[in-house]
Amino acid sequence: MLALIFLLTTVMTLYIKLLLLYVWMQWTGCNFNNPFLQCAIKITYPIIKPFQRILSVFRPIDVASLVIAYILSLLLVPVILRLLRFESIFFYLALILLVKSAGSLVFWVVLSRSIMSWMHREANSLDYILLQLTEPIMVKIRRFIPIIGGMDFSPMLIILILYTIYFIGLEYIPGWTFI
């Protein structure tokens, strides 16, 4: 039973992060011809398509993907907590799970871009998509801390901010540790 719960939790968490990545790619205006965005579209589009017809009013952000990610988070909370009944607190915990998933996604994308920047090789589609995703965030950080001696400290500051938010959540947001 634990193996099934682990497998279900892992698959649903990865799908939630893929939906959030899809929203992030649309928000930053990533190139739709990129193979990674094409893969995200092929995986998520069959589920998103019916919701996009209803929720296509809000154009800059793909609300349908966010709604589906929230619904999956709502279904994942009882699995994580190993409860068989549904309670109203799950709506709140699903929102926390979604926020933590978004923060985790930003962390891993920024870390991946930082590691990829150390490798001096020709640019590929992964480098390009990581640049498109992280550059809008890093530009805002570079306004306060410019590149010093060829070192860009903006990824470290973003990760520090994410860790600070995580620890603030641990201390002040009820339910942060359960999910």
Side-chain angles (χ1 to χ4, degrees), residues 97-113:
L97 179 66
L98 197 61
V99 168
K100 286 176 72 173
S101 294
S104 171
L105 180 65
V106 171
F107 171 80
W108 286 110
V109 169
V110 168
L111 187 66
S112 299
R113 178 181 174 194

Side-chain angles (χ1 to χ4, degrees), residues 6-174:
F6 169 76
L7 184 64
L8 186 63
T9 304
T10 303
V11 169
M12 287 179 73
T13 303
L14 287 174
Y15 201 79
I16 289 168
K17 288 184 182 180
L18 185 63
L19 287 167
L20 292 173
L21 183 65
Y22 181 71
V23 170
W24 191 8
M25 288 177 175
Q26 281 188 331
W27 180 62
T28 57
C30 289
N31 183 5
F32 278 88
N33 295 325
N34 191 300
F36 292 102
L37 187 55
Q38 288 295 318
C39 179
I41 289 171
K42 287 180 182 177
I43 293 172
T44 58
Y45 194 69
I47 295 176
I48 294 173
K49 184 179 178 181
F51 288 93
Q52 278 184 336
R53 292 181 183 158
I54 300 167
L55 301 170
S56 64
V57 183
F58 309 101
R59 230 339 102 189
I61 296 175
D62 187 14
V63 178
S65 297
L66 285 176
V67 168
I68 293 170
Y70 180 74
I71 291 170
L72 285 175
S73 298
L74 191 60
L75 295 174
L76 185 59
V77 169
V79 173
I80 291 173
L81 297 176
R82 294 182 182 98
L83 296 175
L84 297 176
R85 63 184 187 282
F86 192 82
E87 297 180 13
S88 60
I89 191 74
F90 292 168
F91 291 104
Y92 170 72
L93 293 176
L95 184 62
I96 289 176
L97 179 66
L98 197 61
V99 168
K100 286 176 72 173
S101 294
S104 171
L105 180 65
V106 171
F107 171 80
W108 286 110
V109 169
V110 168
L111 187 66
S112 299
R113 178 181 174 194
S114 297
I115 292 171
M116 293 289 285
S117 71
W118 297 338
M119 300 174 200
H120 294 289
R121 55 191 173 117
E122 57 190 60
N124 57 26
S125 57
L126 180 60
D127 290 334
Y128 186 64
I129 198 78
L130 291 174
L131 178 78
Q132 283 185 319
L133 287 172
T134 58
E135 198 58 30
I137 301 168
M138 290 188 182
V139 164
K140 293 177 183 174
I141 300 293
R142 283 190 206 116
R143 290 181 189 158
F144 301 107
I145 300 176
I147 297 174
I148 301 169
M151 291 287 295
D152 186 9
F153 292 102
S154 58
M156 287 185 271
L157 188 60
I158 290 170
I159 290 172
L160 178 70
I161 291 169
L162 287 171
Y163 269 109
T164 304
I165 291 170
Y166 178 77
F167 284 112
I168 288 172
L170 282 175
E171 194 167 344
Y172 295 111
I173 298 176

